[in-house]
């Protein structure tokens, strides 16, 4: 099992009892375990073995959070699908600094440039989406005001023209149904936008964790080279 598989499987288990924000915080903590372990010279498998299985970790965290035992993850079929999903998502984690690579410093610089370029590209789109969402929200509020204002007029019209009473009632009900549907769709879009923002922020924070780890490892490597140079000079003397 690779680190990406471990974290994705753990993510799916944690979703059973934690909010999305809590899951992201927990995963960042375990990302840090991997970064620290790699800096110490451990392999991913050694780190995974020291941490234990994702299922055991999730159950321990759920127990610590006073989650009822029936919410704990179990079942071979469920485990199979969670692990398959974790492997599928592992391909999304390629844009990270590989601390096991000897050229991790060059990789770090590429990732830093990628983050800056991606942020510059996404900012106009994000601004447009936010403005559009606000505009739609204002329009929906306006439609609600129109409904409130138009209701007395519709009632007075039914009194003056009884023959169109059923038509007005039908249109009124249809308008309310359409309004509810549009509001539901609007809230779904807002939640998706919020989730996309959180995913991007988490990606930035996680990458920064690896960038900091790469810088720390580079400093350690330079110190080792200096020490080796001193030892070599002493031997020559």
């Amino acid at each position: 099992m690779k680190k990406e598989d471990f974290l994705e499987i753990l993510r799916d288990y944690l979703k059973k009892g934690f909010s999305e924000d809590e899951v992201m915080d927990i995963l960042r903590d375990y990302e840090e375990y991997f970064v620290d372990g790699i800096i110490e010279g451990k392999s991913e498998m050694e780190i995974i073995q020291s941490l234990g299985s994702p299922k055991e970790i999730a159950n321990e965290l759920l127990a610590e959070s006073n989650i009822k035992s029936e919410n704990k993850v179990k079942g071979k079929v469920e485990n199979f699908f969670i692990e398959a999903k974790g492997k599928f998502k592992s391909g999304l984690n390629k844009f990270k600094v590989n601390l096991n690579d000897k050229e991790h410093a060059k990789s770090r610089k590429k990732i830093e440039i990628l983050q800056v370029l991606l942020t510059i590209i996404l900012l106009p789109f994000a601004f447009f989406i936010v403005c559009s969402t606000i505009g739609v929200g204002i329009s929906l509020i306006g439609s609600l005001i129109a409904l409130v204002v138009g209701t007395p007029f519709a009632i007075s019209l039914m009194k003056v023209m009884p023959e169109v009473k059923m038509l007005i009632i039908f249109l009124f009900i249809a308008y309310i149904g359409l309004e509810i549907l549009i509001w539901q769709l609007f809230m779904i879009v807002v939640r998706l936008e919020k989730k996309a923002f959180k995913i991007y922020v988490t990606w930035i924070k996680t990458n920064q964790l690896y960038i900091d780890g790469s810088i720390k490892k580079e400093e350690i490597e330079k110190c080792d080279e200096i020490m080796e140079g001193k030892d070599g000079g002493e031997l020559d003397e």
Side-chain angles (χ1 to χ4, degrees), residues 80-123:
F80 171 79
F81 284 108
I82 289 176
E83 290 177 10
K85 187 179 177 183
K87 290 179 180 179
F88 175 76
K89 287 184 177 180
S90 64
L92 300 176
N93 294 303
K94 292 180 180 179
F95 299 106
K96 289 179 182 176
V97 180
N98 185 358
L99 296 177
N100 291 316
D101 189 357
K102 292 181 180 179
E103 302 293 329
H104 65 88
K106 292 181 180 179
S107 174
R108 182 185 76 232
K109 292 175 182 177
K110 291 179 181 178
I111 294 297
E112 287 175 331
I113 293 170
L114 175 64
Q115 285 187 178
V116 173
L117 290 175
L118 193 59
T119 301
I120 292 171
I121 292 169
L122 289 177
L123 272 176

Side-chain angles (χ1 to χ4, degrees), residues 134-192:
I134 293 172
V136 172
I138 292 171
S139 300
L140 288 172
I141 292 171
S143 66
L144 283 176
I145 294 171
L147 177 63
V148 173
V149 173
T151 299
F153 175 77
I155 293 171
S156 62
L157 185 63
M158 284 190 292
K159 291 178 180 179
V160 176
M161 303 174 64
E163 63 274 12
V164 295
K165 180 178 179 181
M166 294 305 298
L167 177 62
I168 292 173
I169 292 173
F170 173 78
L171 292 174
F172 185 77
I173 294 172
Y175 186 88
I176 292 174
L178 182 63
E179 190 77 26
I180 293 171
L181 177 62
I182 294 173
W183 269 105
Q184 287 178 336
L185 292 173
F186 177 74
M187 295 307 297
I188 290 171
V189 171
V190 170
R191 282 196 292 268
L192 288 174

